[in-house]
Amino acid sequence: MESVSLFAPASIANISCGFDVLGLCLDNVGDLMHLEKSNKPGFRITEIKGQDLPLETEKNVAGVAAQALLKAYKEPVGFELKIDKRIKAGSGIGSSAASAAGAVVGINKLLGEPFSPLELISFAMEGERLACGSAHADNVAPVILGGFTLVRSLEPLDVIPLHSPLELAATVIHPEIEVKTADARAVLHNKIPLKKAINQWANVGALVSGLYQEDYDLISRSLVDEIVEPARAMLIPGFDQLKENATQAGALGCGISGSGPSVFALSKGMTNAHLVAKSMAEVYDKIGVPYEIHICPINPNGVQFIEPKNK
Ligand code: HSE
């Protein structure tokens, strides 16, 4: 195999109660990538469409992730990458994670899959480190494994794929402003009261149980964030109203997608997810905030290989 084309999906990190540990993979929102083997050793990005991002390997999240993989591979091999960037940087749906994860999954395929999914997650995390100064795995894990994931530990890296109820659907509204993850992390408090911590880990456990039992009421009761959301809500226009409208329209829960500014809601079934989208759109229509909306099921596959368009 000399080249691959792939779809690198967007993702929602945190999922309300699981800051830096829970994530899920979105369907039909993501970047397109094309990777080719090259006779010249090393990794190069030759084209980025859709966003103004650096081509230099060491300044690009896909480049840094690819370098981490090539360093571990040890033999001299060469690759060239073209990216059609469809996820906006700083939108809160894992733009950097999609680039980093797509690059390492693609290279791994062209090398005959010498690395495990866990190793690929650790390479892709280097992209996150470049993007925001913190090598968190809650976006790259679901992009590589698909579905819902839980990052139990970073050192050593321990990632647990979770069950995704088939009917669960996501609505994501993106107010067209950029919030840098590093800035959204800077507003967080370093210390949290024990009572809030107790509530938070109770909700994480309950949410995981709700996913496995496909208990939508329990999922709904558990989609609560007492720690991060209160600190970050002020970064997002109309956040409280979005949440109010989504809940009134029947969402199981609503919260900040990753570090924002996108806001997500989970619903039972696509029909409800569309109703929730309408209710959230009304908020921004009323206050005049430009936005885009994604409505999709949970993607069980993660990065997917596709036929190149010109084949
Ligand atoms: N868990 C990270 C955060 C995700 O909330 O900062 C960033 O996309």
Side-chain angles (χ1 to χ4, degrees):
M1 197 184 282
E2 292 302 305
S3 70
V4 286
S5 292
L6 58 84
F7 170 72
S11 51
I12 297 174
N14 302 338
I15 319 179
S16 293
C17 50
F19 177 68
D20 273 4
V21 300
L22 288 174
L24 67 81
C25 189
L26 291 170
D27 217 15
N28 72 39
V29 195
D31 297 338
L32 300 176
M33 294 175 138
H34 183 75
L35 264 160
E36 280 186 16
K37 281 187 184 167
S38 159
N39 292 331
K40 192 171 149 201
F43 180 81
R44 287 162 299 281
I45 302 169
T46 56
E47 183 182 294
I48 303 176
K49 281 203 291 194
Q51 298 267 300
D52 188 15
L53 293 167
L55 288 170
E56 295 98 312
T57 305
E58 67 284 359
K59 292 186 185 161
N60 186 293
V61 296
V64 169
Q67 295 282 36
L69 183 155
L70 295 189
K71 192 169 165 215
Y73 191 64
K74 297 197 173 82
E75 289 172 37
V77 282
F79 297 94
E80 292 188 348
L81 173 68
K82 291 189 170 97
I83 312 177
D84 183 355
K85 199 80 197 119
R86 310 240 171 137
I87 312 172
K88 293 200 176 109
S91 60
I93 51 170
S95 177
S96 52
S99 294
V104 297
V105 171
I107 294 174
N108 194 45
K109 182 81 170 178
L110 290 174
L111 289 173
E113 305 197 322
F115 294 109
S116 68
L118 198 67
E119 288 170 309
L120 295 180
I121 292 169
S122 74
F123 302 142
M125 284 165 64
E126 292 307 315
E128 297 290 55
R129 193 193 303 282
L130 176 72
C132 75
S134 143
H136 58 92
D138 50 343
N139 285 105
V140 291
V143 175
I144 289 175
L145 298 176
F148 277 80
T149 55
L150 183 138
V151 181
R152 195 200 61 81
S153 150
L154 288 177
E155 288 178 28
L157 186 60
D158 187 359
V159 179
I160 302 160
L162 302 174
H163 179 70
S164 300
L166 265 185
E167 280 190 275
L168 217 49
T171 306
V172 180
I173 188 162
H174 172 217
E176 293 195 346
I177 53 169
E178 185 181 343
V179 172
K180 289 196 169 30
T181 297
D183 296 338
R185 293 179 86 84
V187 303
L188 302 178
H189 308 292
N190 280 327
K191 292 191 176 158
I192 51 174
L194 183 60
K195 190 172 180 320
K196 283 191 196 296
I198 291 167
N199 293 345
Q200 197 87 351
W201 60 58
N203 279 318
V204 173
L207 178 56
V208 171
S209 175
L211 293 174
Y212 276 90
Q213 295 183 75
E214 306 209 354
D215 180 338
Y216 292 91
D217 288 336
L218 181 56
I219 292 171
S220 180
R221 295 203 298 283
S222 316
L223 287 170
V224 181
D225 176 3
E226 295 196 23
I227 294 170
V228 175
E229 185 179 294
R232 284 180 170 172
M234 49 124 181
L235 302 172
I236 301 163
F239 177 74
D240 291 340
Q241 196 59 51
L242 286 172
K243 202 166 163 168
E244 171 71 24
N245 278 29
T247 311
Q248 289 293 326
L252 299 169
C254 174
I256 302 170
S257 176
S259 53
S262 287
V263 174
F264 81 96
L266 292 182
S267 301
K268 185 178 180 189
M270 285 294 284
T271 308
N272 286 335
H274 279 274
L275 291 174
V276 167
K278 189 165 168 280
S279 77
M280 293 169 102
E282 277 164 11
V283 177
Y284 281 165
D285 287 338
K286 198 165 165 191
I287 58 176
V289 174
Y291 62 89
E292 58 180 7
I293 283 198
H294 309 289
I295 308 157
C296 60
I298 311 305
N299 172 352
N301 304 309
V303 174
Q304 270 190 302
F305 295 98
I306 50 178
E307 291 290 315
K309 265 187 277 173
N310 54 0
K311 225 179 134 183

